[in-house]
């Protein structure tokens, strides 16, 4: 992920160090998945239909990958680096499914910082 900080940010760019990190956890609920389906328009039965999902290799509904990725927006906009940053890009790999009732940990660590462009690169994991 790459972020550009606005000079009005509560945390000054000069105060951010490589190695700074932040995290939070969230429990995935049926309500969160249903709300994301409505917002995204993704009503794939693997996410929305328990009877269908039971017949798959997962044996139950799985969370949308992009729902999980959306928590990186919360990480960067609220915690690391925080308010008034601009989310520029991200690369994603979905390695494992996430199920209803799973609690996930969203983590980020600053791995690069450019003083001249005010751009940070943050390694994220879920």
């Amino acid at each position: 992920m790459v972020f550009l900080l606005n000079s009005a940010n509560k945390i000054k760019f000069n105060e951010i160090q490589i190695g700074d990190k932040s995290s939070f956890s969230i429990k995935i609920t049926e309500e969160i998945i249903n709300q994301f389906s409505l917002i995204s328009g993704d009503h794939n039965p693997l996410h929305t239909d328990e009877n269908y999902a039971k017949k798959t290799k997962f044996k139950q509904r799985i969370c949308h990958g992009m729902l999980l990725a959306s928590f990186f927006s919360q990480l960067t906009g609220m915690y690391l680096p925080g308010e008034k940053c601009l989310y520029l890009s991200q690369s994603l790999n979905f390695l494992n499914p996430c199920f209803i009732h799973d609690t996930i940990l969203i983590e980020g660590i600053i791995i690069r910082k450019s003083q001249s462009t005010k751009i940070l690169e943050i390694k994220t994991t879920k």
Side-chain angles (χ1 to χ4, degrees):
M1 285 192 214
V2 181
F3 307 91
L4 176 65
L5 292 180
N6 176 324
S7 61
N9 196 335
K10 290 181 181 179
I11 299 173
K12 293 187 170 126
F13 190 82
N14 292 338
E15 297 172 341
I16 298 171
Q17 301 296 318
I18 292 175
D20 285 353
K21 52 180 138 177
S22 188
S23 65
F24 67 95
S25 61
I26 188 163
K27 184 173 184 175
I28 301 301
T29 65
E30 184 171 6
E31 180 182 5
I32 290 171
I33 291 175
N34 292 340
Q35 288 176 349
F36 188 80
S37 290
L38 289 173
I39 291 167
S40 68
D42 182 352
H43 302 284
N44 181 324
L46 191 52
H47 308 301
T48 61
D49 184 334
E50 190 66 39
N51 289 327
Y52 173 83
K54 283 180 182 177
K55 298 173 190 169
T56 70
K57 69 178 182 176
F58 302 109
K59 306 296 183 209
Q60 59 184 308
R61 291 168 56 189
I62 64 170
C63 183
H64 302 76
M66 293 310 293
L67 168 58
L68 299 173
S70 74
F71 293 118
F72 294 135
S73 180
Q74 181 179 348
L75 175 74
T76 58
M78 303 310 296
Y79 302 107
L80 185 71
E83 294 179 3
K84 300 182 181 168
C85 72
L86 179 62
Y87 195 158
L88 297 177
S89 69
Q90 183 169 351
S91 297
L92 299 168
N93 293 305
F94 300 102
L95 303 176
N96 297 300
C98 176
F99 303 102
I100 296 172
H101 306 301
D102 283 354
T103 298
I104 59 171
L105 179 66
I106 294 90
E107 301 177 290
I109 184 168
I110 306 287
I111 60 170
R112 285 193 192 90
K113 176 180 175 181
S114 171
Q115 191 65 40
S116 62
T117 61
K118 303 287 191 261
I119 292 177
L120 300 171
E121 186 172 342
I122 301 174
K123 180 180 178 184
T124 57
T125 56
K126 178 299 305 152

